[in-house]
C-alpha cells in the first residue's frame, strides 16, 4: 500500500484509536480495590483514555469532510433509546463522580429520523466537556423545539466562556483548544441533517451551567 | 461495578421489556484473540455467560451448525477468508440462522459505510470500533425487544404464511408506533415476495411521506420496475443515487431496469459503478461479466469473471460455471495461454466435482482446438463425453462450448444431442438459441442447426402449450400428464416446471390429495427455485403449495 502524506496521518490516527480502544478495555479489567486513591486514579485513566478515543474518532471524521461533505445515513430511530444509550454511556464514564440524569418530554415522538451514530458522537463529545467541568450533575434531555427534535446535554458547570458563545452565535468556527474543535464537529453534524431544506442546528447557551443542544429537523 | 442508582432501569418496568441475559446463547466472531476475549468479557459483564468464540467465518459456520444462537457479534474484518458481511449472507442464504437471531456487526469506521449503506443484506445493528460495553448492551437490548415485537411476523414468515406475516406487520403498524417504520419495511418485502407490487408501491410512498429514506426510495423503484414502470423506476433511482451515492443496491436495480428497457450498455455502466463502490459481492461481478460478455466487451467481462474467482475464493456462491465463464472469455480474446493458466491455477478446485471436471475437459478441448492440436482435442472431448454420459451437466453456455468442440472433432451426433438438450431446457431464451445457431453457422452446418433447434423447441413448446390449454379448459388430469412429460423431455427447464407445479396444485384442488403428485410438485418447485432464483412466479406457487399442504393437514418441518 502506498500513502501520500495525509492518508498516512489518517491511517496512523486510525491505528492509534484502535490501540487506545484496547487500552481502554484493559483498564476496564483492572479490579477495584475499594481504596479511593487507587480507584480514582484508574477511573481518571479510563476517562482520559475514552476521551482520547472519542476525539480521535472525531478527528478522522473531520479529516474526511475535507474531501467530501458529511453524508448522514438517515433512518428511523427511537429518541428514547438514543437518550438511554447516551445516559448509560455517560454514567459509565462518570463512575459515580457526577450524577447522570435523563429525561424525555411527553411530546417527543416514538421515532425520529436522524443518523444515530453521528448524533451520538456529537452528544458524547458534549458529555466529555460536561464531565470535565460539571460540579455534580449532568442531564440528557429530549424535547421538541420549533418542530425539531432537540437533544440537550446540560450541566451545572460555570458555563461556556463568552468567546465560545459568541462564535457559536456568529456561526464561525472557533479554533481554540479541544472544546472548539469538538463544537465545530458537532455543528457539522447538525448541519448535515436536512429535511426538505430545513437544516439542523447546534445551539449553545448558559442556564445555571452549560447547555448544549442539537436541533434535528 | 458500582453504578449510580439513577442509571438503573426503573423498578417494576413492564415484564415485556425484561431480558434474561443469562438465557442467551452468544457467539463472538473475531480474528484477533485479544479483542475476542475482551468482547467475551464485556458480554459476561452484562450477564451473558453462555458465550462461544470463533476466529473466522468457517469456525462460525461450524459452531452455528452445532447449535442455534440467539446473538452473533461479528467483526466485519476477519482477516483471510470471508468477511463478516459474507458470513452473514451465507448464514441467511443457507437458512443457518432465522430472523429471530440477532446478528450485530462490529466495524472500523473505515468500513462503516460498507456495512451500513452498501449491504443488501443488512445486519440487525452495527457497532463502530472501538465501542463501550454500555453502548453494546443498550443496542443489543433494543434489537432484542424489536425481535420480540416481530416474533409473530417472523414465525409466520418462516412457516411461509406470508399473508399472516403481513397481518402481524399491520398489527405493529397500528399499535406499536416505535416499530412503525421497521414493520412497514418488512411488510414491503413481503408484498414484493407475494407479487403484490402495486400495494408495495403504495406502502413505500407512505414511508417516503414520513421521510425520504434511501431504502424506501429503493423499495419504491423496485416495486415500479416489477410492474414494468421502468421509466419511473429509473428517474427515482437516478435521484436516490445523488442522495445516497454509496447505496450499491441501487446500481444493481438500475442495471435490471436498463436491461428491461433493452439498454444493455447502460445496464453494464450501472454495474460498473456498483462494482467500483463494492467489488466484493460475487453476484455483482458475475452479472457484470455476463452483461459485458453479451455486449461484446471482452475486456470488462474477463476482469469481472476473474474477480468472481478472486473475491469469491471462499464464497459458496462460486460454482464451476464461473471458471468456465472466465475461460470462455479468455478464449474469445484469443488468449489460449490465459485459459490454460486459469485451468492450471484452479485445478484442485475443479477436480473436486464432476461439473468442475467437465469445465476442465471442455476448456482443454477448446484450447487444443485453438492450437490446432486435434488429437489432443479429441482426448479432451472423449473425457467430456464420458462425463456427460454419466449424467454430468454444466450450465447452458458450457454445454454449447462442448457442442462446439464436438463438431470440431467430428462428433456431430453428440453435438446435435447437446444442442437439442440445451434448446429444450431454454426453449424461450433468445440469447442461448442465437448462440447455438452461431455454432452451427461457424461449422458450416446452418441447415442442420435450424433443424435441430426447430425440432427440440417444437416438442417442448407443443407439450407446454397443450398442457396450459388443457388446464384452462379445466382438464387438469390430462394437463398434469402432458406437463410431466414435458418436464421429462426438458429436465432443467424452470418455466415448464413452474407450469407443472401450477397444474398439479389445480388438480389436487379439484380431485383431492395425491401423495405422489404433491411430492412431484415439491420437487419441481424446489428445482425451479434453484434454476431461476427470484422468478416472479415462485413465491405465489410456494404459497399455493403451502395452502394445499395446510388444507390436507400435512405438517412439514419448517426450515430454520
Amino acid at each position: 500500500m502506498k500513502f501520500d502524506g495525509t492518508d498516512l496521518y489518517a491511517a496512523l490516527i486510525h491505528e492509534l484509536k484502535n490501540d487506545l480502544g484496547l487500552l481502554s478495555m484493559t483498564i476496564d479489567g483492572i479490579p477495584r480495590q475499594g481504596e479511593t486513591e487507587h480507584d480514582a486514579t484508574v477511573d481518571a485513566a479510563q476517562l482520559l483514555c475514552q476521551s482520547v478515543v472519542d476525539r480521535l474518532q472525531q478527528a478522522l471524521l473531520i479529516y474526511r469532510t475535507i474531501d467530501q461533505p458529511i453524508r448522514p445515513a438517515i433512518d428511523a430511530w427511537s429518541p428514547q433509546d438514543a437518550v438511554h444509550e447516551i445516559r448509560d454511556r455517560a454514567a459509565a464514564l462518570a463512575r459515580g463522580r457526577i450524577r447522570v440524569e435523563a429525561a424525555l418530554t411527553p411530546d417527543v415522538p416514538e421515532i425520529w429520523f436522524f443518523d444515530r451514530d453521528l448524533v451520538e458522537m456529537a452528544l458524547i463529545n458534549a458529555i466529555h466537556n460536561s464531565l470535565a467541568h460539571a460540579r455534580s450533575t449532568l442531564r440528557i434531555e429530549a424535547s421538541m423545539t420549533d418542530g425539531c427534535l432537540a437533544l440537550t446535554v446540560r450541566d451545572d458547570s460555570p458555563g461556556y466562556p463568552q468567546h465560545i458563545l459568541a462564535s457559536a452565535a456568529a456561526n464561525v468556527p472557533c479554533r481554540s483548544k479541544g472544546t472548539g474543535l469538538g463544537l465545530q464537529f458537532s455543528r457539522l453534524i447538525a448541519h448535515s441533517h436536512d429535511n426538505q431544506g430545513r437544516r439542523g442546528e447546534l445551539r449553545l447557551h448558559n442556564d445555571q451551567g452549560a447547555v448544549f443542544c442539537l436541533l434535528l429537523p | 461495578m458500582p453504578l449510580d442508582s439513577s442509571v438503573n432501569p426503573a423498578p417494576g418496568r413492564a415484564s415485556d421489556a425484561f431480558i434474561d441475559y443469562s438465557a442467551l446463547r452468544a457467539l463472538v466472531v473475531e480474528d484477533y484473540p485479544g479483542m475476542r476475549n475482551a468482547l467475551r468479557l464485556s458480554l459476561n459483564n452484562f450477564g451473558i455467560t453462555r458465550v462461544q468464540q470463533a476466529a473466522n467465518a468457517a469456525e462460525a459456520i461450524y459452531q452455528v451448525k452445532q447449535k442455534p444462537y440467539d446473538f452473533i457479534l461479528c467483526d466485519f474484518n476477519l482477516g483471510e477468508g470471508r468477511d463478516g458481511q459474507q458470513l452473514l449472507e451465507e448464514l441467511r442464504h443457507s437458512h443457518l440462522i432465522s430472523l429471530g437471531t440477532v446478528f450485530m456487526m462490529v466495524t472500523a469506521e473505515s468500513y462503516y459505510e460498507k456495512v451500513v449503506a452498501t449491504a443488501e443484506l443488512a445486519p440487525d445493528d452495527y457497532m463502530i470500533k472501538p465501542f463501550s460495553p454500555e453502548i453494546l448492551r443498550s443496542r443489543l437490548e433494543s434489537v432484542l425487544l424489536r425481535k420480540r415485537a416481530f416474533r409473530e411476523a417472523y414465525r409466520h414468515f418462516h412457516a411461509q404464511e406470508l399473508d399472516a406475516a403481513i397481518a402481524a406487520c399491520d398489527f405493529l403498524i397500528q399499535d406499536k408506533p416505535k416499530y412503525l417504520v421497521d414493520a412497514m419495511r418488512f411488510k414491503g418485502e413481503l408484498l414484493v415476495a407475494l407479487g403484490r407490487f402495486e400495494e408495495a408501491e403504495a406502502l413505500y410512498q407512505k414511508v417516503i411521506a414520513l421521510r425520504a429514506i434511501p431504502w424506501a426510495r429503493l423499495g419504491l423503484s423496485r416495486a415500479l420496475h416489477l410492474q414494468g414502470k421502468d421509466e419511473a423506476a429509473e428517474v427515482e433511482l437516478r435521484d436516490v443515487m445523488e442522495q445516497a451515492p454509496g447505496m450499491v443496491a441501487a446500481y444493481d436495480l438500475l442495471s435490471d431496469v436498463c436491461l428491461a428497457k433493452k439498454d444493455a450498455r447502460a445496464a453494464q455502466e450501472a454495474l460498473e459503478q456498483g462494482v467500483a463502490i463494492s467489488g466484493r459481492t460475487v453476484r455483482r461481478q458475475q452479472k457484470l461479466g455476463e452483461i459485458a460478455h453479451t455486449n461484446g466487451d471482452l475486456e470488462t467481462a474477463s476482469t469481472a469473471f476473474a474477480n468472481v474467482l478472486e473475491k469469491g475464493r471462499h464464497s459458496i456462491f462460486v460454482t464451476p460455471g464461473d471458471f468456465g465463464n472466465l475461460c470462455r472469455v479468455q478464449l474469445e480474446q484469443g488468449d489460449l495461454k490465459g485459459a490454460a493458466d486459469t485451468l492450471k491455477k484452479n485445478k484442485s478446485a475443479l477436480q473436486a466435482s464432476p461439473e468442475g471436471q467437465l469445465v476442465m475437459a471442455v476448456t482443454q478441448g477448446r484450447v487444443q482446438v485453438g492450437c490446432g492440436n486435434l488429437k489432443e482435442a479429441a482426448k479432451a472431448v472423449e473425457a467430456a463425453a464420458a462425463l456427460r454420459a454419466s449424467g454430468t451437466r454444466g450450465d447452458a453456455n458450457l454445454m454449447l462450448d462442448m457442442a462446439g468442440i464436438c463438431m470440431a472433432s467430428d462428433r456431430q451426433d453428440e453435438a446435435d444431442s447437446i444442442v437439442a438438450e440445451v434448446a429444450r431446457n431454454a426453449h424461450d431464451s433468445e440469447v442461448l438459441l442465437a448462440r447455438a445457431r452461431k455454432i452451427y453457422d461457424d461449422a458450416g452446418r446452418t441447415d442442420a442447426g435450424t433443424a435441430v433447434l426447430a425440432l427440440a423447441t417444437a416438442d417442448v413448446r407443443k407439450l407446454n402449450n397443450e398442457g396450459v390449454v388443457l388446464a384452462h379448459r379445466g382438464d387438469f388430469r390430462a394437463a398434469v400428464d402432458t406437463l410431466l412429460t414435458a418436464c421429462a423431455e426438458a429436465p432443467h427447464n424452470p418455466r415448464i416446471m413452474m407450469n407443472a407445479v401450477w397444474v398439479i396444485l389445480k388438480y389436487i384442488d379439484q380431485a383431492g390429495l395425491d401423495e405422489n403428485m404433491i411430492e412431484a410438485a415439491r420437487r419441481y418447485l424446489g428445482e425451479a427455485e434453484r434454476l431461476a432464483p427470484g422468478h416472479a412466479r415462485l413465491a405465489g406457487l410456494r404459497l399455493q403449495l403451502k395452502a394445499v399442504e395446510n388444507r390436507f393437514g400435512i405438517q412439514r418441518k419448517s426450515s430454520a
Side-chain angles (χ1 to χ4, degrees), chain A residues 17 60 85 100 116 120 217, chain B residues 6 109 125 129 139 211:
Chain A
K17 179 184 62 97
L60 279 169
E85 192 171 313
V100 176
R116 178 191 59 176
E120 289 188 356
Chain B
S6 64
E109 86 280 40
D125 207 342
K129 270 201 294 200
R139 292 196 177 171
R211 186 69 66 103

Side-chain angles (χ1 to χ4, degrees), chain B residues 329-342:
Chain B
V329 176
Q330 286 172 321
L331 288 169
E332 284 174 28
Q333 286 175 312
D335 185 6
L336 297 181
K337 188 176 172 307
D341 284 348
T342 302

Side-chain angles (χ1 to χ4, degrees), chain A residues 13 16-17 20 51-61:
Chain A
I13 293 178
L16 290 174
K17 179 184 62 97
L20 277 168
S51 129
V52 177
V53 168
D54 291 334
R55 280 200 199 292
L56 287 179
Q57 205 148 20
Q58 291 167 21
L60 279 169
L61 201 98

Side-chain angles (χ1 to χ4, degrees), chain B residues 55-352:
Chain B
N56 54 47
E59 275 184 42
I61 287 170
Y62 176 79
Q63 303 259 33
V64 170
K65 281 182 177 163
Q66 301 307 304
K67 61 174 178 195
Y69 287 91
D70 304 297
F71 173 39
I72 298 174
L73 182 64
C74 175
D75 199 287
F76 178 80
N77 195 342
L78 296 173
E80 277 287 295
R82 283 160 287 198
D83 62 32
Q85 181 63 27
Q86 289 172 315
L87 172 63
L88 170 62
E89 282 172 17
E90 191 164 332
L91 289 173
R92 290 242 197 270
H93 184 85
S94 312
H95 303 292
L96 288 170
I97 57 175
S98 75
L99 288 174
T101 301
V102 177
F103 190 103
M104 260 203 211
M105 197 80 83
V106 176
T107 144
E109 86 280 40
S110 42
Y111 291 112
Y112 160 71
E113 284 179 34
K114 285 206 170 83
V115 174
V116 177
T118 67
E120 293 100 291
L121 199 84
D124 292 302
D125 207 342
Y126 49 85
M127 306 287 308
I128 301 175
K129 270 201 294 200
F131 55 85
S132 66
E134 303 81 42
I135 303 244
L136 174 60
R137 181 191 171 130
S138 168
R139 292 196 177 171
L140 175 59
E141 181 174 303
S142 298
V143 179
L144 286 167
L145 292 177
R146 186 172 79 218
K147 298 269 177 197
R148 193 176 283 176
F150 277 80
R151 191 164 42 196
E152 279 300 289
Y154 291 160
R155 188 172 64 75
H156 290 301
F157 175 79
H158 285 301
Q160 284 164 352
E161 297 153 358
L162 300 197
D163 284 308
I166 286 179
C169 286
D170 284 334
F171 170 77
L172 291 170
I173 291 169
Q174 286 284 324
D175 271 42
K176 300 268 186 231
K178 184 170 182 176
Y179 300 118
L180 169 75
V181 173
D182 295 310
M184 288 173 100
R185 187 174 192 169
F186 191 44
K187 183 179 171 183
E189 287 164 19
L190 294 170
L191 287 172
V192 168
L194 280 170
R196 287 155 65 177
F197 306 131
E198 268 175 60
E199 286 169 76
E201 178 187 341
L203 177 106
Y204 287 120
Q205 291 284 18
K206 272 192 204 158
V207 178
I208 291 169
L210 292 172
R211 186 69 66 103
I213 316 175
W215 63 252
R217 303 187 65 192
L218 183 68
L220 173 64
S221 312
R222 179 166 290 119
L224 289 168
H225 163 60
L226 291 167
Q227 293 173 79
K229 301 178 187 167
D230 288 304
E231 294 295 339
E234 182 169 353
V235 170
E236 183 71 24
L237 274 173
R238 298 226 180 255
D239 199 50
V240 78
M241 283 165 157
E242 293 211 351
Q243 185 194 354
M247 191 169 60
V248 78
Y251 298 87
D252 295 337
L253 181 57
L254 179 60
S255 120
D256 288 345
V257 168
C258 293
L259 280 185
K261 293 171 67 185
K262 306 238 182 266
D263 187 348
R265 290 272 158 207
Q268 178 177 337
E269 207 174 293
L271 280 175
E272 280 173 325
Q273 286 176 302
V275 163
I277 296 166
S278 171
R280 292 181 77 100
T281 307
V282 167
R283 274 165 295 180
R284 184 168 306 122
Q285 298 275 11
Q286 283 166 335
K287 229 168 108 185
L288 175 58
E290 282 161 26
I291 294 179
H293 190 209
T294 319
N295 284 339
D297 180 352
L298 298 180
E299 185 85 23
T300 305
S302 74
T303 308
F305 285 140
N307 278 332
V308 169
L309 302 184
E310 167 70 25
K311 319 271 176 194
R313 205 176 310 146
H314 307 280
S315 166
I316 52 162
F317 301 111
V318 171
T319 65
D322 290 305
F323 296 94
N325 286 340
L326 177 58
C327 292
R328 182 173 312 111
V329 176
Q330 286 172 321
L331 288 169
E332 284 174 28
Q333 286 175 312
D335 185 6
L336 297 181
K337 188 176 172 307
D341 284 348
T342 302
L343 288 187
K344 210 186 285 169
K345 232 168 61 190
N346 298 292
K347 198 171 169 188
S348 56
L350 288 169
Q351 271 177 336

Side-chain angles (χ1 to χ4, degrees), chain A residues 14 17-18 20-22 25 28 32 50 53-54 56-57 60-61 64 68 71 73-78 80-81 84-89 91-93 95-96 98-101 110-118 120-121 124 194-196 216-217, chain B residues 1-4 6-9 13 32 34-35 38-39 42 45 108-110 112-113 116-117 125-135 137-139 142 146 177-182 185 207 209-215 242-246:
Chain A
H14 180 79
K17 179 184 62 97
N18 287 343
L20 277 168
L22 274 173
M25 284 186 161
D28 257 346
R32 343 227 91 227
Q50 275 303 321
V53 168
D54 291 334
L56 287 179
Q57 205 148 20
L60 279 169
L61 201 98
R64 251 187 284 157
Q68 48 182 13
R71 269 186 219 282
I74 306 282
D75 212 331
W77 297 103
S78 150
Q80 184 185 356
D81 284 358
H84 288 168
E85 192 171 313
I86 295 295
R87 176 201 61 193
D88 292 353
R89 176 92 175 96
L93 289 170
R95 303 229 174 202
I98 305 266
R99 196 152 54 106
V100 176
E101 297 170 348
E110 293 264 8
I111 48 174
W112 198 254
F113 296 89
F114 54 93
D115 182 320
R116 178 191 59 176
D117 294 271
L118 287 178
E120 289 188 356
M121 263 191 235
I124 289 288
D194 167 283
N195 184 15
Q196 297 178 327
L216 303 171
Chain B
M1 194 160 56
L3 272 183
D4 190 303
S6 64
V7 302
N8 283 332
R13 247 206 321 210
Y32 180 49
M35 195 61 177
L39 289 174
S42 287
N45 268 338
E109 86 280 40
S110 42
Y112 160 71
E113 284 179 34
V116 177
D125 207 342
Y126 49 85
M127 306 287 308
I128 301 175
K129 270 201 294 200
F131 55 85
S132 66
E134 303 81 42
I135 303 244
R137 181 191 171 130
S138 168
R139 292 196 177 171
S142 298
R146 186 172 79 218
K178 184 170 182 176
Y179 300 118
L180 169 75
V181 173
D182 295 310
R185 187 174 192 169
V207 178
L210 292 172
R211 186 69 66 103
I213 316 175
W215 63 252
E242 293 211 351
Q243 185 194 354

